[in-house]
Amino acid sequence: MQDIGRRSRRFDALDKARGTEQFATDIYPPDMLWAGALRAGVPHGIIRRIETARAEKVEGVVAVLTRKDVPGTNRQGFVYWDMPVLCGTRVRHAGDAVALVLAESRRALAEALRAIEMEIEPLPVVDTLDAALADDAPNIHGLDTGNVLKAATIAKGDAEAGLAECDVVVEETFYTPAQEHAFIETENGVARIDDDGTLHMTVSTQAPFRDRFEIGRALGLDPSRIHVTGPYLGGGFGGKDGATVQCLLALAAMHAKGRPVKMWWNREESMLAGYKRHAARMRFTAGAKRDGTLHAVRCELDYDTGAYAHLGVEIMALGMEHSGGPYRLPHLEAKGRCVYTNNPVAGAFRGFGVAQVSFAFEGMMDRLAHALGMDPLKFRLRNAITRGERNCAGVTMTTSTGMEECLLRLRDHPHWKSREAWRADAPPFTRRAVGVAAVFNGMGYGRGLADYAVAKVRLTGSGRIRVYNGVSDMGQGNASTFVQMAGEILCQPESVMELVQPDTDRTHPSGSAAAGRTTYTYGKALIKACETLRDKLFNRAALMLFVDDGSGFAMIPGGVRHLPTGRDLPLAALAAMMHPDDRISMAEHLMPVTPEPVRGGEAFTLGFPHLLFPYAAHLARIEVDELTGRVAVLDYVAFTDGGRVLNPQNFEQQVHGSVAQGLGYALTEDVLTEAGVLRSTDLCTYVIPTSLDLPDIESHAVETIEHTGPFGMKGIGEVGLNGPLPAVASALYSAGLPMTRAPFTFGRVLAALEDDQPGTGSEAAS
Amino acid sequence: MPLFLPTDLSETLALLADHPEARIMAGGTDLLVRLRAAGRTPGTLVCLERVAELGRIEALETATGPAVRIGAAATITDLLRSDTVRQRLPLLHRAASAFAAPTVRNAATIGGNICTASPAADTLPALHVMNASVELASRRGARILPMPHFVTGPGRTALEPDEVLTGVVVPVPRIFTIHHFEKVGQRQAMAIAVVSLTAMLAVEDGRIRDARLAWGSVGPTIVRCPEAEAILRGSRLTLTALTEAARAARRAVAPISDVRATADYRRQVAGNLLLRLADLPGRKPGS
C-alpha cells in the first residue's frame, strides 16, 4: 500500500534499476540529425566575421546557421531577456553560441564546427566584481547603471542605530565560489516539427510549461504550437530551470525539414555553457548585546551573474531576504547588487542565493559568540526564530517554525556533548573540531509570481488510477510521492497506480521543479483532485448499487465498499459505466503568500518575501591535517524541519544528497576562470566529492506540522545544501582557523594554519 | 584507423617494426582521454590486451637477491590482487590502492602508468625507491634500463618507436622496516596527486640505517633527494631531523603551479610530509 508516512520504495525505483526508464538522452528517433553549437571561446568581443562556406561543404552537413537565420527576438531569458540564441555582433562569455550546425552524424557535426571560420575582435575582459564595478569598466550590456543589473535594499528596524546600541560588533567579508551543478545527465533533448507545424520537443528540463514561452519569444513561434515532454531527469539542481538546449534545438528543428534533431552537450560543453551558482562577495557587520541577544546586521551582497541575468536578480533577492539568518533580528539592512561580468552565466542552483549568505550570517554568529565568550550553539539557540515572531526580513512567522527544536535536538546529540573530549583526543599533526550551523530556506516563488499547480487524476477504462504529474522529477522523488498521496486517499496499492510525467499536451501547467515547492504545491492540488475523484466514485457507486447517495462508502484496494450493506464494487466495474470525461478529476492550488507589508525590495518585481520556511541545524565533526591543510569531514548530522515526513526514505535521500553537494561546495568545488576563460573544464579539474570523501550522514526529522501543506509537509530540497559550508566553517573557526573564502581547499587551510601558528608554521616551512 | 590486436609478443614486435608510427595501447585510460580531448581519430593502434604473457606477475631470484617481475600489461587491479605484490612490495600495493578508482584500475596497467611518464603517476615513486628496472623489447633485441634512465621528462621516455615495454623488475626491499606512502590529492579517489611522498626507512635500534625518499608531482619527473636521505641516515626519527630533511627536500623539488595547487603549496607540503614519519606517541610511523 502506498500510505503516507511509509518508507515505501520509489515508484520509479525498479525501472531505474533495470535501466528501462527512458531519459531524454535515451531517445534516438529514426532518421535523426545531430545539432551542435560553435562556442565563442573568447569571453568578450565583437564578431567581425563568421564564414560558413567551408563547413557547409562538409559531407553530411545539412545546415549551418548563424544569427541571420534566427527569427523572433533572438533573446532567451524569462524575467530578463538578455541572452542571444546565436550571437550576431557581440559575445559576452566564452560559452556564447555563435553558430549552429545540423549534420547526419556526430563526426560530420564535429568536422563542420571545426571548419567554421570565426574572427572575434577581443574587448577588455570583465572578470571580477571589482572590474565590473570600476568607473571605467567596459559596459557589457549597455545599461545606464553600468554593469549593475539591479541594485536593491531591504530593511527592518534601523540597522545603523541598532549597531550603535550593541556591546559587541564584528565585521567580516566572505567570498563564495561559482559552483557547477554537475548533474549526471548533461543538457540534452530531441525535437521535430511535424506536418502541421507543431514543434515537439522532449527535453531534460525543470520547467516544461515555461519553456514554451521562452522558445516562442526567442524564435517568434506560437507557444501554443510547441509541445514539450519532460521525462525524468538525471539531475537538475536548478541548472535546467530555464532554457539550455531548448532554443538552439528548436531553431535546428526549424531547418531540419521535419526530421528529428538531437542535441546533447558533452561534459566540457556543459561546463563551458551551462549555468553555475553565483559567486558572491558579502560584507557583513553584525552586533549583539552583552547578554547574547543578536541585535543588528548590516550587509552588502554582490552576486556575479556572469554574462547574462538568468534568475540573478531573484537569487540576489533571496540572499538579501535570508541575510539575517533564522533569527529574531530587530535591525537589518541588506543591500544587494547583481552584477554582469564576462564569466560563465550564473543561474538557479539549489539553495538559490541562500547558500551564499548562510556562510556569511553563520560566520558572523561564530564571531559574535566568540566575542561574547558564549558557546556558539547556545548563542544560536538564544536567538532562534520562533512562531509568531517577525523574521529578519520583517515577515511574521505564522506557520511551522522548527528552528529552535532543531537546535535543541542537536544540542543533545552525543557528537555535540562529547566535543571537548573528542577534540582533545586528536592524533599528532591533527586538529579536531565540531561545528554547527543553523539554516533556513524560503519555499515557493514568493510574492509577485503565483505559485500554483493544476493536478489531474483519472480512473482509467480498465479501473486503474493514473496521476498526471505536471512538475518535473529530476531525481528528488516528487512523482513517486504524488503516487503515494493518491494511493493514500484512494486506498490503492502501487500495482493499481499509473504515472504520466510532465507533458504540455497531457498534464497541466504546474510551475517549475524549483524552490522546494514541487511536492508542496502540486501535492495540495492533487489531494483535492483525488478527494473529488473519490467522492465522485462513491456517488457513481451509489447509482449502481441503488442506494440513496454516496455516503457510507469507503475506498478499498481495487474498488469501493458500501459499508452498511457490505457490498463491494470493483474499480473496473465503475470505470465501465462512467463516461471517460467523468473519470477525470482536476484541482488547483496556490501557495499562500504573506499579506504583510515589508520594507524595501521595491526593486524586485517578484520573489520577495516568503512566508514558509523549512529549517535545519547541522553538525560537522572534522579533522584538519596540519601538514597538508586537508579537511576531512568524519561525521555529519542533520536535523531538518520539513513539517511532516511523507516518506522517510525520500526525506533522507534529499538530506543526504544536499549535504553531499554542500560538502563539495565547502571543500573543493570551484568553477575556476582566468580572465573569463574556464580553467576547470571537466570533472577532472572540477572536483566533486566521491563516496570516499563523504562521511556517514545522520538525518533526523524534526516533525513540525505545516498546516498549509499537503499532509503537513514542507519542501526540503534546498535547505540541506545551506548547512555544510557554514558548519564546516564553524568547526574550522573553533579550531583557530577563521575562513572567509570558500571552498576550504588544502592550500587555503594550510595558509590559515601558518597564520595561526607563525612559530611552528615557519619552522616547518623554512 | 588500423587497429591491431596481437596475441603474443613476437607478433607485437613485428607489428611495431612494420608500423613505426603506431601507438601502443594497454588499458587506454590515458591515451583515449587524450585522443578525445585532441578531437582526433587515432592513427595506428597496437593493443596489448590479448598478449597474455605481458600480464604475468612472478617472484624470481636474481643475482642480487629476490625480485618481482611484473608484466607491463598487468592491471592495477592485478597488482592489488597479487599476494606477491602485497607481501613483497607493500609500497607498490599502497600506491595501487590510491590509484584512481576501481573501474579505472581494472583497465589501467603498470606499463601504461610508466610509459605515460606523468610526474604525478602513482606507481612511479615506489618503483624509483625500490630501484626497479624496466625491460624493453624490439625485433632488434631486448634491453634493461633503470627507472630514472627510462623516464626522461614529463611524458617523455627512452622508448624507441619499434620498442615495447614488456615488464618491470622490482628488487624486493630487504633491510627496510618502514614503508611509507602518502598521496595528497584533492579528494580520496579519482584524484591526481598534488604531492606524494614515498619513503623506505631502515631503522635499527632507533637509528636510521638507510633512507630512500621519492616525491611525485613536484618536478618534471619523480624527485629524489640524496641530501635529505643523507641527513636522515644515522639520526633518529625525531622532528628535528625530519625538519632538517624537509628543508633539503624543499630545496630539491621544482614544482609548478596549475589548476590543482600552487608551486608554493607543493614545495611546502613536499617537506611537511616527511614529518609524518616522526616517531611520536600515539602514532606508528609508516602506518
Side-chain angles (χ1 to χ4, degrees):
Chain A
M1 199 60 69
Q2 292 284 313
D3 297 342
I4 290 299
R6 268 173 76 132
R7 186 179 283 273
S8 55
R9 175 176 83 192
R10 282 188 186 219
F11 191 66
D12 49 327
L14 259 178
D15 288 338
K16 283 183 176 162
R18 287 192 297 227
T20 52
E21 184 65 57
Q22 291 264 303
F23 295 84
T25 47
D26 293 318
I27 299 169
Y28 291 85
D31 200 30
M32 179 194 92
L33 294 170
W34 283 93
L38 179 69
R39 305 287 172 183
V42 173
H44 198 193
I46 304 290
I47 299 173
R48 291 300 177 201
R49 191 173 75 95
I50 299 177
E51 183 51 67
T52 59
R54 236 166 30 92
E56 281 159 16
K57 292 197 187 84
V58 172
E59 195 184 330
V61 166
V62 172
V64 181
L65 309 173
T66 58
R67 167 68 182 94
K68 66 182 184 329
D69 302 300
V70 184
T73 65
N74 190 37
R75 286 289 180 280
Q76 305 176 80
F78 44 102
V79 182
Y80 297 87
W81 296 275
D82 62 356
M83 180 167 152
V85 180
L86 291 176
C87 295
T89 52
R90 186 159 179 185
V91 299
R92 295 181 178 85
H93 82 117
D96 262 334
V98 295
L100 181 67
V101 174
L102 279 85
E104 299 283 350
S105 68
R106 281 171 127 165
R107 180 180 292 215
L109 176 64
E111 196 183 332
L113 287 172
R114 276 196 300 271
I116 298 172
E117 294 158 42
M118 168 171 68
E119 274 174 37
I120 298 178
E121 183 186 320
L123 291 171
V125 176
V126 179
D127 59 346
T128 61
L129 288 165
D130 283 333
L133 296 168
D135 290 339
D136 58 348
N139 192 324
I140 297 170
H141 282 274
L143 297 182
D144 294 342
T145 49
N147 290 317
V148 177
L149 167 60
K150 186 71 82 177
T153 304
I154 65 168
K156 179 191 179 190
D158 182 341
E160 209 51 59
L163 284 169
E165 291 159 10
C166 290
D167 297 311
V168 294
V169 173
V170 294
E171 290 180 41
E172 193 55 89
T173 302
F174 299 89
Y175 301 85
T176 53
Q179 187 182 17
E180 171 74 12
H181 302 83
F183 23 65
I184 292 176
E185 182 200 24
T186 52
E187 297 86 342
N188 78 96
V190 291
R192 177 178 62 86
I193 293 186
D194 72 16
D195 296 341
D196 75 1
T198 303
L199 171 71
H200 300 277
M201 182 179 292
T202 299
V203 59
S204 190
T205 179
Q206 292 174 232
F209 290 93
R210 197 186 58 217
D211 283 349
R212 293 173 305 163
F213 297 94
E214 191 170 355
I215 298 166
R217 170 186 277 266
L219 301 178
L221 300 176
D222 175 358
S224 70
R225 304 292 294 280
I226 301 175
H227 167 217
V228 178
T229 315
Y232 282 105
L233 288 77
F237 314 115
K240 295 169 184 171
D241 188 6
T244 57
V245 298
Q246 285 88 329
C247 297
L248 290 167
L249 192 53
L251 178 63
M254 291 162 77
H255 292 82
K257 301 186 171 65
R259 292 173 67 180
V261 188
K262 186 177 183 83
M263 181 181 232
W264 187 1
W265 297 356
N266 65 14
R267 183 62 63 185
E268 290 86 345
E269 189 170 19
S270 176
M271 291 293 302
L272 177 67
Y275 306 114
K276 319 293 174 208
R277 184 191 303 286
H278 288 70
R281 174 176 64 194
M282 301 165 284
R283 295 196 176 100
F284 266 67
T285 306
K289 298 287 188 64
R290 191 167 292 114
D291 66 358
T293 306
L294 180 66
H295 194 60
V297 171
R298 191 180 55 210
C299 63
E300 294 165 33
L301 313 176
D302 291 324
Y303 286 83
D304 177 352
T305 199
Y308 301 107
H310 194 273
L311 285 169
V313 175
E314 295 66 37
I315 286 163
M316 170 188 77
L318 257 81
M320 294 165 68
E321 182 182 359
H322 291 74
S323 60
Y327 304 109
R328 80 176 71 74
L329 174 68
H331 305 289
L332 171 72
E333 182 189 75
K335 291 186 169 170
R337 288 183 292 189
C338 187
V339 181
Y340 282 128
T341 63
N342 296 123
N343 288 327
V345 185
F349 198 141
R350 192 182 207 176
F352 203 86
V354 187
Q356 291 92 328
V357 292
S358 298
F359 177 39
F361 67 69
E362 285 299 90
M364 296 314 277
M365 293 301 279
D366 285 331
R367 283 157 179 78
L368 283 172
H370 179 75
L372 291 163
M374 247 181 117
D375 173 274
L377 180 50
K378 200 175 280 176
F379 181 52
R380 286 170 169 86
L381 252 173
R382 185 183 174 95
N383 295 289
I385 182 88
T386 56
R387 202 147 65 88
E389 294 173 327
R390 287 202 178 88
N391 74 358
C392 65
V395 176
T396 303
M397 294 293 95
T398 55
T399 65
S400 60
T401 308
M403 187 69 259
E404 188 181 26
E405 182 64 13
C406 288
L407 285 165
L408 284 169
R409 296 272 303 275
L410 191 138
R411 190 185 64 182
D412 292 337
H413 193 279
H415 287 346
W416 181 250
K417 291 204 286 197
S418 65
R419 65 193 182 282
E420 285 310 324
W422 189 75
R423 182 219 287 268
D425 203 26
F429 305 119
T430 303
R431 290 191 196 186
R432 283 181 164 181
V434 182
V436 292
V439 290
F440 62 151
N441 203 107
M443 211 179 95
Y445 294 152
R447 223 149 66 183
L449 176 62
D451 191 313
Y452 75 107
V454 182
K456 178 164 99 176
V457 61
R458 177 199 294 266
L459 175 67
T460 70
S462 57
R464 296 163 62 80
I465 303 295
R466 184 181 297 155
V467 175
Y468 291 79
N469 171 24
V471 212
S472 302
D473 188 333
M474 45 192 163
Q476 76 272 43
N478 57 304
S480 182
T481 304
F482 298 152
V483 171
Q484 204 173 353
M485 288 176 171
E488 166 82 20
I489 295 166
L490 299 169
C491 192
Q492 298 307 314
E494 186 182 311
S495 57
V496 173
M497 309 295 296
E498 294 177 8
L499 178 66
V500 174
Q501 289 291 60
D503 179 324
T504 56
D505 276 0
R506 300 179 72 197
T507 67
H508 294 270
S510 294
S512 54
R517 63 173 293 276
T518 308
T519 305
Y520 178 99
T521 312
Y522 185 90
K524 284 290 278 191
L526 181 63
I527 288 172
K528 288 183 225 169
C530 290
E531 286 172 348
T532 308
L533 180 64
R534 179 193 60 199
D535 295 346
K536 199 188 281 199
L537 294 177
F538 291 165
N539 290 336
R540 302 303 173 271
L543 279 175
M544 289 182 79
L545 297 178
F546 298 97
V547 295
D548 292 339
D549 58 34
S551 63
F553 281 91
M555 296 299 306
I556 57 170
V560 299
R561 174 168 297 163
H562 187 241
L563 299 172
T565 60
R567 283 179 295 170
D568 292 353
L569 201 54
L571 289 178
L574 270 167
M577 68 80 72
M578 289 169 73
H579 187 278
D581 291 349
D582 194 28
R583 287 190 266 106
I584 298 171
S585 281
M586 285 176 58
E588 64 183 64
H589 186 72
L590 267 172
M591 188 186 291
V593 291
T594 178
E596 212 166 359
V598 287
R599 275 174 53 208
E602 294 81 3
F604 315 131
T605 49
L606 54 95
F608 171 81
H610 291 75
L611 175 62
L612 298 159
F613 296 82
Y615 298 87
H618 286 193
L619 174 150
R621 277 217 305 201
I622 69 164
E623 280 188 356
V624 183
D625 178 29
E626 294 179 323
L627 299 184
T628 60
R630 185 170 100 82
V631 177
V633 180
L634 301 186
D635 300 283
Y636 204 92
V637 184
F639 288 95
T640 310
D641 161 27
R644 289 292 300 279
V645 176
L646 307 192
N647 182 330
Q649 178 184 261
N650 281 15
F651 184 90
E652 281 163 16
Q653 287 170 345
Q654 278 282 28
V655 172
H656 290 167
S658 53
V659 168
Q661 202 161 29
L663 285 174
Y665 188 44
L667 297 177
T668 54
E669 295 188 37
D670 195 348
V671 177
L672 297 168
T673 53
E674 199 170 282
V677 175
L678 201 62
R679 294 186 74 209
S680 35
T681 52
D682 52 33
L683 291 180
C684 182
T685 44
Y686 183 80
V687 181
I688 60 174
T690 70
S691 58
L692 292 184
D693 298 286
L694 296 170
D696 284 341
I697 299 160
E698 256 184 53
S699 165
H700 301 278
V702 173
E703 291 198 85
T704 58
I705 291 191
E706 176 47 55
H707 292 286
T708 70
F711 300 104
M713 70 78 72
K714 295 186 277 193
I716 58 151
E718 305 196 75
V719 69
L721 197 139
N722 301 335
L725 172 56
V728 173
S730 169
L732 286 165
Y733 186 80
S734 78
L737 305 170
M739 304 298 293
T740 56
R741 211 175 270 271
F744 310 135
T745 59
F746 38 46
R748 285 178 181 150
V749 175
L750 193 69
L753 281 159
E754 283 167 11
D755 287 348
D756 189 45
Q757 280 198 330
T760 331
S762 62
E763 196 222 350
S766 51
Chain B
M1 178 192 92
L3 176 75
F4 297 104
L5 290 158
T7 53
D8 63 36
L9 184 59
S10 63
E11 189 189 350
T12 308
L13 298 182
L15 283 166
L16 292 174
D18 294 347
H19 301 276
E21 81 291 353
R23 304 190 70 162
I24 300 171
M25 179 169 127
T29 56
D30 244 317
L31 181 64
L32 293 180
V33 173
R34 277 187 281 149
L35 288 172
R36 175 181 177 276
R40 283 184 288 125
T41 43
T44 308
L45 281 185
V46 175
C47 299
L48 301 183
E49 64 186 64
R50 297 188 188 171
V51 187
E53 63 203 277
L54 290 182
R56 288 192 202 113
I57 298 173
E58 57 204 344
L60 44 92
E61 284 299 322
T62 68
T64 52
V68 178
R69 187 188 175 283
I70 302 168
T75 66
I76 305 302
T77 299
D78 291 336
L79 300 184
L80 283 172
R81 289 186 182 158
S82 159
D83 290 337
T84 306
V85 172
R86 195 180 60 249
Q87 287 157 12
R88 298 176 183 229
L89 310 175
L91 279 178
L92 189 59
H93 199 265
R94 296 266 285 282
S97 67
F99 193 108
T103 46
V104 176
R105 299 201 283 257
N106 289 342
T109 65
I110 189 164
N113 202 226
I114 295 170
C115 290
T116 298
S118 160
D122 287 318
T123 66
L124 289 195
L127 296 176
H128 272 75
V129 296
M130 292 189 287
N131 293 335
S133 301
V134 293
E135 298 175 344
L136 310 171
S138 70
R139 244 184 1 197
R140 294 174 288 117
R143 58 181 180 139
I144 290 181
L145 282 180
M147 279 297 300
H149 294 184
F150 181 68
V151 178
T152 55
R156 288 202 305 275
T157 67
L159 195 72
E160 296 290 338
D162 64 341
E163 270 184 323
V164 63
L165 180 104
T166 52
V168 55
V169 176
V170 193
V172 174
R174 281 181 295 175
I175 60 167
F176 293 92
T177 53
I178 293 172
H179 299 255
H180 178 84
F181 172 74
E182 181 171 359
K183 171 178 172 177
V184 181
Q186 289 171 294
R187 58 186 164 200
Q188 297 302 297
M190 292 304 285
I192 292 174
V194 166
V195 193
S196 75
L197 169 67
T198 303
M200 288 200 305
L201 299 177
V203 181
E204 225 176 71
D205 301 328
R207 288 206 180 270
I208 303 166
R209 197 174 126 202
D210 198 4
R212 292 193 205 158
L213 310 170
W215 284 265
S217 295
V218 286
T221 59
I222 301 308
V223 174
R224 298 290 301 268
C225 181
E227 196 193 337
E229 292 174 358
I231 290 166
L232 293 184
R233 251 178 241 122
S235 77
R236 292 181 180 276
L237 267 181
T238 59
L239 271 181
T240 313
L242 289 163
T243 300
E244 199 188 330
R247 284 194 196 103
R250 292 191 193 102
R251 287 194 294 273
V253 299
I256 57 163
S257 293
D258 65 12
V259 70
R260 280 176 266 278
T262 62
D264 285 345
Y265 176 83
R266 290 185 158 102
R267 182 184 302 282
Q268 176 65 27
V269 172
N272 287 4
L273 290 183
L274 277 174
L275 306 187
R276 196 90 70 198
L277 290 161
D279 197 358
L280 295 174
R283 188 170 188 290
K284 274 196 163 56
S287 62

